[in-house]
Amino acid sequence: EDAIKRGKEGKYTVLMVDPFSEIEEGLAKFVEVNCLKLFGLTPNQIQKSAGLYWGTVKSALKADLDLLRTMYKTVYLVTHMRNEYLGNAPTGKREPKGKETLFELASLYLEFERKPDSKGNVSAVPSAKVLKSRLSHTSVDAKTGEVRIVPILPPRLPVATPKAIREYIKKPPDYSKLAESERVHEERMSEDERLH
């Protein structure tokens, strides 16, 4: 509600929420409390059908995010990570908390990382895997009419800052000559990690 109120005032161009999971939790509670009045669902319906309830929460979340996108030039939402489970067993992998709605709507979705270098030093500035990017340059070849879409970002950002992203916008990477630090490498779990 505060983000919408401030957005209507028009004084801000950037909205940042960290962590976004608290907004999702609040919205889920809002749907539960207002299920009949705003969503036409009885409390009994949402208690008996988790699919119906969470589908309504996702629809409300999409509507709110669409509204926020009209009020701010940049909406920056942070989700924290949790252990991934398949059935009731942990997979040993990590995944973002919350619903997949953010991933669906995002123009850019990054997984930040701060891995130590060969000497064990960890940079203050994170790197990031680019999990999703709609950022691209599009051009049409005048002779052939062929549409060319060139991704603006590499699969991995060695330095994941707004300034670094702006530099890639000015000069996208050549995918045939990506630097090693711009590539995503499959991670192998250690024996210790497998046991946990």
Side-chain angles (χ1 to χ4, degrees):
E1 289 173 354
D2 187 48
I4 290 169
K5 177 178 169 270
R6 289 174 188 235
K8 285 179 180 174
E9 292 169 1
K11 292 192 278 185
Y12 304 96
T13 59
V14 176
L15 168 67
M16 182 174 181
V17 179
D18 182 7
F20 188 70
S21 56
E22 293 174 5
I23 302 290
E24 281 187 328
E25 290 166 13
L27 185 60
K29 190 67 177 168
F30 177 81
V31 168
E32 186 181 324
V33 170
N34 296 284
C35 60
L36 185 58
K37 184 170 100 180
L38 297 178
F39 304 102
L41 299 171
T42 66
N44 191 39
Q45 283 177 302
I46 66 167
Q47 286 174 359
K48 289 190 174 184
S49 175
L52 185 61
Y53 171 62
W54 287 110
T56 304
V57 171
K58 284 183 185 181
S59 294
L61 180 57
K62 283 184 178 181
D64 282 353
L65 291 174
D66 280 339
L67 178 62
L68 291 172
R69 290 194 301 193
T70 66
M71 298 176 169
Y72 298 92
K73 289 183 179 180
T74 302
V75 178
Y76 187 105
L77 307 173
V78 176
T79 59
H80 292 207
M81 302 294 281
R82 66 179 173 207
N83 291 328
E84 179 187 72
Y85 280 79
L86 191 57
N88 290 328
T91 64
K93 296 179 182 176
R94 305 279 289 158
E95 67 179 1
K97 284 183 179 180
K99 301 290 166 224
E100 62 277 355
T101 308
L102 288 184
F103 187 81
E104 291 171 11
L105 296 178
S107 294
L108 179 61
Y109 200 97
L110 304 175
E111 181 181 321
F112 288 99
E113 51 190 20
R114 279 194 173 91
K115 296 189 176 185
D117 63 17
S118 59
K119 296 179 183 176
N121 299 319
V122 178
S123 173
V125 178
S127 56
K129 292 179 194 169
V130 179
L131 300 183
K132 176 183 179 182
S133 176
R134 290 187 176 138
L135 307 179
S136 62
H137 288 295
T138 305
S139 62
V140 178
D141 186 298
K143 291 180 183 177
T144 65
E146 180 184 345
V147 176
R148 282 189 233 141
I149 300 172
V150 177
I152 285 177
L153 299 177
R156 183 175 178 278
L157 297 172
V159 175
T161 63
K163 181 181 178 187
I165 292 170
R166 285 191 294 272
E167 290 302 316
Y168 278 114
I169 291 170
K170 289 180 201 170
K171 187 177 183 227
D174 180 346
Y175 263 64
S176 67
K177 298 175 184 174
L178 287 175
E180 200 57 34
S181 60
E182 294 175 322
R183 299 173 189 271
V184 174
H185 299 282
E186 187 177 333
E187 294 181 28
R188 300 181 192 271
M189 288 185 359
S190 68
E191 280 301 317
D192 195 39
E193 289 171 324
R194 283 193 189 109
L195 294 173
H196 290 77

